[in-house]
Amino acid sequence: VNFADTGKLIHHPAAGLLIAALILLNSVLVAVEIDAESDSGEAHFLDFWTVLELLFLVVFTVEIVLRIEAERRAFVRSGWNLMDLFLVVSAAGVALILEPLGTEVG
């Protein structure tokens, strides 16, 4: 893997806009999901919302991995990167561990 190409890809303005749009879309879908679950009173593990959540998790995980690969040691020097990493790891823990165990989150 050519690290210079990875850096160009992940730091390209279009990549930043795509990730920002996905974050916004994810936020809207979370709000819609919460509203839909409060109306029905039910939450199912492998339903439409869970699949969407896992798709977003995969995309955000790939983005973090590409940034780590491109930035190497410089990645940990940015508070924003560390916050993003924390959010992705936390979301993975909730989606892949707590929700399958039936643990209520939030």
Side-chain angles (χ1 to χ4, degrees):
V1 174
N2 186 338
F3 298 118
D5 290 343
T6 303
K8 287 179 186 176
L9 171 72
I10 201 65
H11 293 116
H12 192 278
L17 286 174
L18 176 63
I19 294 299
L22 288 172
I23 290 169
L24 181 61
L25 179 60
N26 187 30
S27 300
V28 169
L29 289 175
V30 165
V32 171
E33 175 189 9
I34 290 169
D35 186 53
E37 285 181 358
S38 68
D39 289 345
S40 70
E42 294 184 21
H44 303 285
F45 177 63
L46 285 178
D47 61 4
F48 174 74
W49 302 111
T50 301
V51 171
L52 276 178
E53 180 181 343
L54 292 173
L55 286 173
F56 279 109
L57 181 58
V58 166
V59 170
F60 295 141
T61 300
V62 167
E63 186 238 352
I64 286 286
V65 168
L66 289 175
R67 278 198 286 155
I68 291 170
E69 182 178 312
E71 297 175 14
R72 297 294 172 138
R73 289 184 190 177
F75 180 86
V76 297
R77 293 187 203 124
S78 166
W80 290 111
N81 285 344
L82 295 177
M83 183 190 71
D84 287 346
L85 180 62
F86 173 77
L87 292 173
V88 169
V89 169
S90 297
V94 168
L96 302 175
I97 297 170
L98 295 180
E99 286 182 0
L101 293 174
T103 305
E104 285 292 321
V105 180

